[in-house]
Amino acid sequence: MLREERIKLILDFVNQKGYCTNELISKELGIPFTTLRRDLTDLHNESKLRRVHGGAATIKEKSILETNLHEKLALNIEAKRNIAQKALACIKPLETIFLDAGSSTYYLAELIKPEYNNKVYTNSIINAQILAKNAIRDIYLLPGKLKLSTGAICGIETIQALTKYNFDVAFLGINAIDSAFNFYTTDEDEAEIKRTAIKNSQFTFGLGDSSKMNSKSFVKFSDKKEIALISEGN
């Protein structure tokens, strides 16, 4: 059995029951104890299941509230830098990019260099500043209302501006990801910006570290059928 198949079986089995002993999982799914312990440790470290003495338990989805951008920039830095490196590999020369507001997209902005001659559109003042520091020549800051807590520009003007453009690739921030890989944000205006960017992009990637897993926030804006998730674990 391939690891991916085994992991899905374990997740589905434990989530269905809420709690299972190691013996029950091993017996019902036909997975050797040594392999099972290793898989459960990986799932625990990825915040997909919770290892408990003698077994495993489902993680109840937590609710994510909006936090200040400067606070988010100081959290899970290594994971976000890893995600940014993976996202950078998805950018080709001369492509037009939409770069969403957020802490993970901030770390991607740090890596984008002028040699690729990309046009970058963003609704984040801080991302625009980082791009300018990197000597990116074509930076377009979208109009709208500034959200002070996140440094994001949003509102009807932002959405109207986005509808005029077609992007080769978009990179979106994510506040929460539930167990079915639905993607959430904390604000309806920002959700609509993300939806518009998805609609107007050839390829869209969501950037979210493992701390966002098994959680929900105020507004669902997409799911795994529409965008590809880039996390430190994939």
Side-chain angles (χ1 to χ4, degrees), residues 17-220:
K17 295 184 177 297
Y19 166 78
C20 299
T21 63
N22 292 338
E23 289 81 0
L24 181 63
I25 299 170
S26 177
K27 179 181 177 182
E28 292 295 321
L29 302 183
I31 300 173
F33 267 103
T34 53
T35 303
L36 177 62
R37 290 192 185 98
R38 184 172 63 249
D39 288 343
L40 290 178
T41 297
D42 290 344
L43 288 167
H44 178 89
N45 292 337
E46 294 169 11
S47 300
K48 294 179 179 178
L49 289 179
R50 181 165 54 90
R51 286 207 70 178
V52 296
H53 182 69
T58 187
I59 296 178
K60 293 183 178 179
E61 292 178 336
K62 53 188 181 291
S63 180
I64 300 290
L65 303 176
E66 186 64 87
T67 55
N68 184 283
L69 176 63
H70 293 290
E71 294 177 10
K72 291 195 289 187
L73 287 173
L75 297 173
N76 305 314
I77 295 173
E78 184 177 349
K80 290 173 182 177
R81 290 193 187 280
N82 181 275
I83 290 167
Q85 288 284 353
K86 293 179 180 180
L88 184 67
C90 300
I91 298 174
K92 297 177 182 178
L94 302 175
E95 285 189 327
T96 301
I97 300 165
F98 174 70
L99 191 62
D100 191 18
S103 55
S104 293
T105 57
Y106 168 90
Y107 287 108
L108 175 56
E110 285 191 325
L111 299 180
I112 298 174
K113 301 300 180 185
E115 290 80 12
Y116 272 20
N117 294 309
N118 298 117
K119 286 184 179 180
V120 185
Y121 289 74
T122 185
N123 64 326
S124 165
I125 287 179
I126 190 169
N127 284 354
Q129 290 173 328
I130 293 298
L131 291 166
K133 184 179 178 181
N134 289 351
I136 303 301
R137 289 180 289 274
D138 292 322
I139 306 166
Y140 299 84
L141 188 59
L142 296 172
K145 181 181 179 180
L146 177 63
K147 187 176 179 181
L148 294 176
S149 62
T150 63
I153 298 170
C154 52
I156 188 66
E157 289 179 87
T158 318
I159 296 164
Q160 288 176 341
L162 271 174
T163 60
K164 297 188 297 184
Y165 305 119
N166 290 298
F167 304 106
D168 293 300
V169 61
F171 298 96
L172 306 182
I174 298 172
N175 288 84
I177 307 165
D178 69 19
S179 57
F181 285 89
N182 296 303
F183 304 118
Y184 297 82
T185 188
T186 59
D187 180 275
E188 179 59 51
D189 282 346
E190 292 195 43
E192 191 58 33
I193 287 168
K194 296 175 196 293
R195 294 184 191 115
T196 305
I198 293 167
K199 182 179 179 181
N200 288 22
S201 301
Q202 292 295 318
F203 300 98
T204 306
F205 297 94
L207 310 185
D209 64 81
S210 58
S211 70
K212 311 290 178 63
M213 295 299 299
N214 294 296
S215 60
K216 290 184 177 181
S217 194
F218 182 56
V219 186
K220 174 189 170 183

